[in-house]
Amino acid sequence: MNPVRAAGRTVRMRLGLTLLVAACLVVGAPRAASSPSGTPTEAQNLLVRLINMERTARGAPPLVLDADLCEAARRHAEDMIASGYFGHRSPTLGTLASRLGRLGIPFRKAGENLAGHTSVAGAHKMLMDSGVHRGNILDPEFNRLGVAVVTGGPYGAMIVEVFLCGQAGSPLLAGTGR
């Protein structure tokens, strides 16, 4: 069994969730922040830059953005918005390990951070202010990253970060400094 570290398993986010609930409610279908070509969006690139800045400032290697992990993150964000929940275990898609397995993504270790916020920078700050979430961001064993920023839901946008240690999927070089 692959070890999976999922920070903040329930809605008990000690990151000011009350403030997040006050964020604007966006009505309509979830809309992924991704371009039709599948290239990373500005929001994804910003999130990757912020994560890699934190890592390199503390001596951890930068993460490589992975298209397959971005797809896993996007599907989970859209599922949370469509199904009206916030959590690491989807009532329809299961755990992170089962979601990665369903997409055929092999790994030795995986982690996931979730945030609902109106901005990428605000979500990143909240995650860095939480010890468990910060642990995923800074874990030197992780070498690949997938991120999704999907507009919708009660927070304005659903942000999912998937961290992976293991085999490479489909690398995207945006935000990696290459």
Side-chain angles (χ1 to χ4, degrees):
M1 175 177 266
N2 291 318
V4 176
R5 185 168 74 200
R9 294 187 183 271
T10 65
V11 181
R12 297 174 293 147
M13 303 241 343
R14 291 181 238 157
L15 302 172
L17 186 58
T18 306
L19 295 174
L20 293 178
V21 173
C24 65
L25 174 63
V26 178
V27 179
R31 192 169 44 90
S34 60
S35 68
S37 67
T39 59
T41 65
E42 231 177 273
Q44 286 174 301
N45 284 331
L46 173 60
L47 191 52
V48 172
R49 279 193 310 274
L50 291 169
I51 289 168
N52 280 334
M53 282 174 37
E54 299 285 358
R55 289 175 63 84
T56 57
R58 291 166 176 82
L63 298 169
V64 175
L65 190 62
D66 183 297
D68 295 335
L69 295 180
C70 287
E71 176 68 12
R74 182 191 59 77
R75 287 183 183 188
H76 188 53
E78 289 178 349
D79 180 57
M80 286 189 288
I81 293 169
S83 300
Y85 73 96
F86 183 88
H88 294 282
R89 180 182 283 274
S90 164
T92 56
L93 303 175
T95 65
L96 175 59
S98 63
R99 287 182 266 130
L100 293 174
R102 192 174 296 112
L103 290 172
I105 300 172
F107 64 95
R108 288 181 305 147
K109 178 180 175 180
E112 177 177 66
N113 287 345
L114 309 176
H117 207 282
T118 57
S119 77
V120 169
H124 178 71
K125 181 182 180 335
M126 282 184 10
L127 293 169
M128 285 302 294
D129 287 344
S130 164
V132 178
H133 296 94
R134 182 177 52 251
N136 278 341
I137 291 169
L138 300 178
D139 188 328
E141 288 188 67
F142 290 135
N143 57 10
R144 308 198 70 73
L145 172 68
V147 296
V149 180
V150 179
T151 303
Y155 312 115
M158 197 67 74
I159 295 148
V160 177
E161 302 171 343
V162 176
F163 303 88
L164 186 128
C165 171
Q167 297 178 355
S170 305
L172 296 172
L173 299 180
T176 63
R178 294 188 197 173

